[in-house]
Amino acid sequence: MYETKISTPRWIAYDIPGNIGWILYLIGYGRLVAVQGFSQHLLSSILLTIPVILIVIGIAELVSERIAKLDRILPALRLWRGFGALTLAGLLGAVLALLTLNSNLNTANAVMMISGGILCFVFAGLLLIGYKKK
């Protein structure tokens, strides 16, 4: 089991920008797919989908933790499936969007995905490292 002693104000200070991050990434990705589709840059589109899948896994896990009232004490699997998936999604999303920035993808969407990925990586990561083995 892992437990965090992060104060509620600090939790909120990490949670809000982290949430803004994954939301920005999803909006940028959605706009990218809506405007350009998958056909123009199939490999880039597939790669940029991986962080989306990780975000969905992480958010689903965090919601199920809230429902089970496991907010501050988590088994290792739940910790990594929630905050670990979001941290990885943020890092991977920012790097992949940065790498595809020069491949004729819409710059505004790529910048939105990069900034969202960075926010998600930093703030989900701060919550993740706040958990210590109990």
Side-chain angles (χ1 to χ4, degrees), residues 2-19 62-63 65-66 70-74 78-79 82-83 86 122-132:
Y2 287 81
E3 182 175 19
T4 185
K5 302 282 186 189
I6 295 174
S7 68
T8 299
R10 181 172 284 188
W11 183 283
I12 292 168
Y14 293 168
D15 193 44
I16 291 171
N19 287 338
L62 294 176
V63 168
E65 289 168 9
R66 295 275 179 179
L70 298 174
D71 297 333
R72 304 288 175 117
I73 301 173
L74 300 173
R78 283 185 171 265
L79 176 66
F83 292 112
L86 285 174
V122 168
F123 291 101
L126 286 170
L127 287 169
L128 177 64
I129 64 172
Y131 279 86
K132 304 295 179 204

Side-chain angles (χ1 to χ4, degrees), residues 97-117:
L98 185 61
L99 291 174
T100 59
L101 188 58
N102 294 328
S103 65
N104 296 327
L105 295 177
N106 182 296
T107 304
N109 293 335
V111 169
M112 189 179 298
M113 293 166 71
I114 293 165
S115 58

Side-chain angles (χ1 to χ4, degrees), residues 3-134:
E3 182 175 19
T4 185
K5 302 282 186 189
I6 295 174
S7 68
T8 299
R10 181 172 284 188
W11 183 283
I12 292 168
Y14 293 168
D15 193 44
I16 291 171
N19 287 338
I20 291 169
W22 64 260
I23 291 167
L24 274 177
Y25 187 89
L26 292 180
I27 291 170
Y29 175 82
R31 287 176 40 156
L32 182 78
V33 171
V35 171
Q36 293 182 279
F38 280 96
S39 59
Q40 289 183 352
H41 301 282
L42 184 60
L43 181 59
S44 296
S45 298
I46 291 170
L47 290 176
L48 292 169
T49 303
I50 295 168
V52 172
I53 294 166
L54 290 170
I55 288 169
V56 170
I57 290 168
I59 296 304
E61 179 59 37
L62 294 176
V63 168
S64 74
E65 289 168 9
R66 295 275 179 179
I67 292 169
K69 302 196 187 293
L70 298 174
D71 297 333
R72 304 288 175 117
I73 301 173
L74 300 173
L77 181 61
R78 283 185 171 265
L79 176 66
W80 291 106
R81 207 169 35 206
F83 292 112
L86 285 174
T87 303
L88 179 59
L91 177 62
L92 192 59
V95 169
L96 291 174
L98 185 61
L99 291 174
T100 59
L101 188 58
N102 294 328
S103 65
N104 296 327
L105 295 177
N106 182 296
T107 304
N109 293 335
V111 169
M112 189 179 298
M113 293 166 71
I114 293 165
S115 58
I118 290 169
L119 284 171
C120 187
F121 170 68
V122 168
F123 291 101
L126 286 170
L127 287 169
L128 177 64
I129 64 172
Y131 279 86
K132 304 295 179 204
K133 195 162 181 109
K134 204 172 157 183

